[in-house]
Amino acid sequence: MSNSHSAYCGYRDYLVLETLLDIQKPITEQHDELLFVVVHQSHELWFKELLHELDALQVTLSKADSGPALRTLRRARAIFRALTAQIDVLETMTSEQFDTFRDQLVGSGFYSAQFREIEVVLGRRDGTAAEHFPENSPERARIRARADEPTLFDAFLAYLDAKGYAPHDLPSALHGLHSDDGVVEQICQGLVDLDQAFQEWQYRHVVLVQRVIGNKIGTGGTSGAEFLRKAIFTPSFPALWHIRHGEK
């Protein structure tokens, strides 16, 4: 066997390409549906990686390990930017093109369990994230398990405590770390950057939905753009934003 053939087989087998490239299953013959499937499957892969990184970030923050935490924050933010960039590709599809297969779709990104897990890790604890999935389903179980764990902000508070900033007096602690302008302040800024990237991705998603379906009922029976609009501009770490306005 030649080296090139061996390398090709290694690449193919390591990435399980035969399976990966066989799981795009459009349900119509419309040309643009494959793009819709590929982008959403790509989102799910990035969601998997993002959860992996957020889990690591919580561990490093809890250990007050600043260097790895900063690197992971940068990577998580870059993933949100990659997700946002994929919306540029979806925007090449017109509303008329989407309408050629939209009525055949039975679900939407609203029902992404991994996205709901991300929301919970970032701090959404209103108890509704799991309700969109069937009782006793693995998706509901995963989301509920996440809800029983500390949030990413809880890990940040533990980090502040380890670094000598009293988290029980958070406004004073945040003012102090910004004045110190050191690595702890960089961690704080990294969390704000991550929060902003998340909101920007959500905003672009709303604009995309508004552009493609307007005010119609969303795919799979959701309330479409109106539902998504309510979800954005709500920061995951409000305390880190309030300090910029002198709020407590």
Side-chain angles (χ1 to χ4, degrees):
M1 182 181 295
S2 68
N3 288 337
S4 61
H5 185 271
S6 177
Y8 160 71
C9 291
Y11 177 80
R12 179 198 63 194
D13 296 344
Y14 179 67
L15 295 179
V16 200
L17 286 181
E18 289 185 9
T19 299
L20 179 65
L21 299 178
D22 191 48
I23 60 174
Q24 292 74 47
K25 305 290 185 182
I27 58 178
T28 74
E29 298 296 323
Q30 298 301 322
H31 172 83
D32 298 285
E33 190 185 356
L34 179 60
L35 171 64
F36 186 84
V37 171
V38 167
V39 169
H40 283 77
Q41 287 186 343
S42 297
H43 264 60
E44 290 295 335
L45 288 173
W46 280 123
F47 288 163
K48 180 177 182 177
E49 177 63 21
L50 188 56
L51 286 166
H52 179 63
E53 299 298 341
L54 292 176
D55 286 342
L57 179 57
Q58 286 184 284
V59 171
T60 54
L61 285 175
S62 298
K63 292 180 178 179
D65 202 347
S66 300
L70 282 171
R71 289 192 292 272
T72 305
L73 276 167
R74 286 194 291 268
R75 180 176 294 177
R77 180 182 61 188
I79 291 172
F80 275 126
R81 288 178 173 172
L83 289 167
T84 302
Q86 291 187 47
I87 293 177
D88 292 338
V89 186
L90 271 181
E91 285 179 342
T92 66
M93 182 171 58
T94 67
S95 58
E96 291 77 15
Q97 290 169 328
F98 186 43
D99 281 343
T100 61
F101 62 88
R102 179 174 180 258
D103 288 344
Q104 304 301 313
L105 301 178
V106 294
S108 78
F110 178 85
Y111 296 103
S112 167
Q114 289 195 115
F115 173 70
R116 297 299 176 187
E117 287 185 74
I118 291 168
E119 285 188 309
V120 170
V121 172
L122 293 179
R124 179 179 176 181
R125 299 297 169 99
D126 60 8
T128 64
E131 293 178 358
H132 307 293
F133 302 89
E135 192 68 50
N136 299 320
S137 65
E139 293 82 4
R140 179 176 281 214
R142 289 203 317 269
I143 296 167
R144 283 180 169 171
R146 292 277 184 186
D148 290 334
E149 299 171 353
T151 66
L152 180 56
F153 194 72
D154 291 330
F156 174 63
L157 294 179
Y159 174 82
L160 287 182
D161 191 32
K163 293 298 183 180
Y165 296 92
H168 60 273
D169 186 5
L170 190 56
S172 295
L174 294 177
H175 277 297
L177 68 90
H178 287 309
S179 298
D180 293 344
D181 194 26
V183 68
V184 181
E185 199 269 344
Q186 292 178 44
I187 294 288
C188 183
Q189 293 294 340
L191 287 169
V192 173
D193 290 341
L194 178 66
D195 203 349
Q196 180 176 328
F198 181 42
Q199 292 180 66
E200 288 173 348
W201 171 70
Q202 289 180 299
Y203 172 75
R204 286 293 305 280
H205 189 198
V206 169
V207 173
L208 171 68
V209 172
Q210 187 73 51
R211 174 174 175 162
V212 174
I213 71 172
N215 291 317
K216 298 175 185 176
I217 295 298
T219 306
T222 67
S223 55
E226 179 58 30
F227 168 80
L228 295 171
R229 277 194 293 268
K230 294 178 180 178
I232 62 174
F233 305 129
T234 301
S236 299
F237 317 123
L240 303 185
W241 294 89
H242 292 165
I243 198 68
R244 284 155 173 73
H245 306 291
E247 300 173 21
K248 295 184 178 182

